[in-house]
Amino acid sequence: MPADTQMGMVAAFASYDFKTNPLMRLFDNVDDMMAHYRIIEEQRAALGYDIDGVVYKVDSLELQGRLGFVSRSPRWAIAHKFPAEKASTVLTGIDIQVGRTGALTPVARLAPVTVGGVVVTNATLHNEDYIKGLHIRVGDTVRIQRAGDVIPQVLGVELDKRPADAAPYEFPHSCPVCGSHAVREDGEAVRRCTGGLICKAQAVERLRHFVSRGAFDIEGLGEKQIEFFFNAQDPALFIHSPADIFTLRKRQADSLTKLENIEGFGPTSVRKLFDAIDDRRTIDFWRFLHGLGIRHVGETNSKRLARHFISFAALREAGEQAVPPQGKGDSGNAAWQELRSVSGIGDVVAEAVV
């Protein structure tokens, strides 16, 4: 290594004729860091690129190594965002999106408005409590901001501009996609579709999750391709479950309907897709587990469970045999206790696995 500090490494890169950022500074106290943060905030509009804040980093590479990482970020660096820019616009409608786990998420449809240099036409409304808490109605003029300068968020309503005919929003109690009952469990803010895989929205989102980078990572199966294969009527083309992905090549070989003859595909892209699928017929256990999309079992918990159980057969056996505590003083059977003994796995995750 050419240096043992962050600033030393950047100076080394500069000496190799790489471009480095002239706004980087080294400080030994918080007051000077905050002063520099305000200087950059003032210069923000004049910069030749977009930024949403500054990042403070520990300078010593040795200390960086000792501090390490949590699942998604380093312990030795932290982002300090600038205050989000705000604007007002009209809420023209509320749509409900259904996610992989059946969660019904309301999305605000907005009259187009520019916020922070970006035209915003929709924003998240989180859940039904958020809508009730802000008394949001279709037709309202709402204040929005780009939270972290990325995700548009509704902050509140300008009540003096509310139309006389604006009615309170009634959150649906059935899935807008499959019509199944939508329930809200005690202690949860989210209402969920009970349709499971009979719900097209959940089935498609689970397929997208299965092939995503953190799971099976199958190149050539993006959002548009998953939508195409899911809606295909020809048995040689459809993908309705993860297992269908791995029979696609054989179904194509036995059919007169050839994927390479369909618009948007070609011989080269089809060959690469089949090769990518074949490359994932054997896969790390944690990736397989993550790809199943079990609620509460994301990438981190998948790795924890895989390290402990080693094989899917061992995990499935534990899940099938586990009996959770049945009352006060009961700690569950041995299989349940083994699940609970995995570092970082609590009752909620253990029950999800069971």
Side-chain angles (χ1 to χ4, degrees), residues 125-137:
L125 291 172
H126 302 293
N127 52 57
E128 57 187 301
D129 287 345
Y130 192 81
I131 295 174
K132 290 178 181 177
L134 294 180
H135 305 289
I136 296 171
R137 301 182 182 184

Side-chain angles (χ1 to χ4, degrees), residues 12 20 68 92 101 129 137 156 158 167 189 206-207 212 271-272 342:
T20 59
T92 59
T101 62
D129 287 345
R137 301 182 182 184
E158 297 181 9
R206 289 193 185 192
L207 282 170
S212 66
R271 175 176 53 79
K272 288 183 176 180
V342 179

Side-chain angles (χ1 to χ4, degrees), residues 100-236:
R100 173 173 59 87
T101 62
L104 272 57
T105 302
V107 177
R109 302 304 178 192
L110 307 167
V113 62
T114 301
V115 187
V118 175
V119 177
V120 174
T121 57
N122 53 67
T124 179
L125 291 172
H126 302 293
N127 52 57
E128 57 187 301
D129 287 345
Y130 192 81
I131 295 174
K132 290 178 181 177
L134 294 180
H135 305 289
I136 296 171
R137 301 182 182 184
V138 175
D140 278 342
T141 296
V142 294
R143 298 186 304 279
I144 66 167
Q145 71 175 19
R146 289 174 64 212
D149 278 0
V150 179
I151 304 170
Q153 178 183 19
V154 175
L155 298 176
V157 176
E158 297 181 9
L159 293 174
D160 57 323
K161 297 180 181 179
R162 170 170 285 169
D165 59 349
Y169 180 73
E170 293 293 333
F171 202 89
H173 285 222
S174 60
C175 175
V177 176
C178 70
S180 298
H181 191 49
V183 300
R184 181 173 172 178
E185 296 178 5
D186 291 342
E188 285 212 348
V190 176
R191 191 174 291 276
R192 297 181 189 275
C193 165
T194 58
L197 292 180
I198 68 167
C199 177
K200 176 189 172 182
Q202 291 188 62
V204 169
E205 288 303 319
R206 289 193 185 192
L207 282 170
R208 287 174 177 166
H209 173 76
F210 183 85
V211 302
S212 66
R213 183 169 297 176
F216 271 65
D217 191 17
I218 300 178
E219 192 172 344
L221 280 181
E223 290 191 11
K224 289 182 179 179
Q225 289 86 353
I226 288 292
E227 196 79 33
F228 165 79
F229 285 118
F230 188 87
N231 291 320
Q233 299 300 313
D234 193 317

Side-chain angles (χ1 to χ4, degrees), residues 54-82:
V54 302
V55 177
Y56 307 124
K57 297 182 180 179
V58 172
D59 192 38
S60 166
L61 298 186
E62 180 188 359
L63 289 177
Q64 287 186 12
R66 287 169 60 185
L67 287 165
F69 290 77
V70 291
S71 60
R72 294 189 178 184
S73 60
R75 290 192 180 96
W76 45 266
I78 188 168
H80 187 178
K81 303 289 188 179
F82 295 133

Side-chain angles (χ1 to χ4, degrees), residues 9 15 30 46 106 121 129 133 149 152 190-191 204 217 223 229 248 252 260 263 287 295 300 308 319 342:
M9 290 295 293
S15 72
V30 173
T121 57
D129 287 345
D149 278 0
V190 176
R191 191 174 291 276
V204 169
D217 191 17
E223 290 191 11
F229 285 118
L248 182 62
Q252 278 286 286
E260 56 261 35
E263 185 178 354
R287 284 185 175 275
R295 194 173 161 204
T300 298
H308 181 88
V342 179

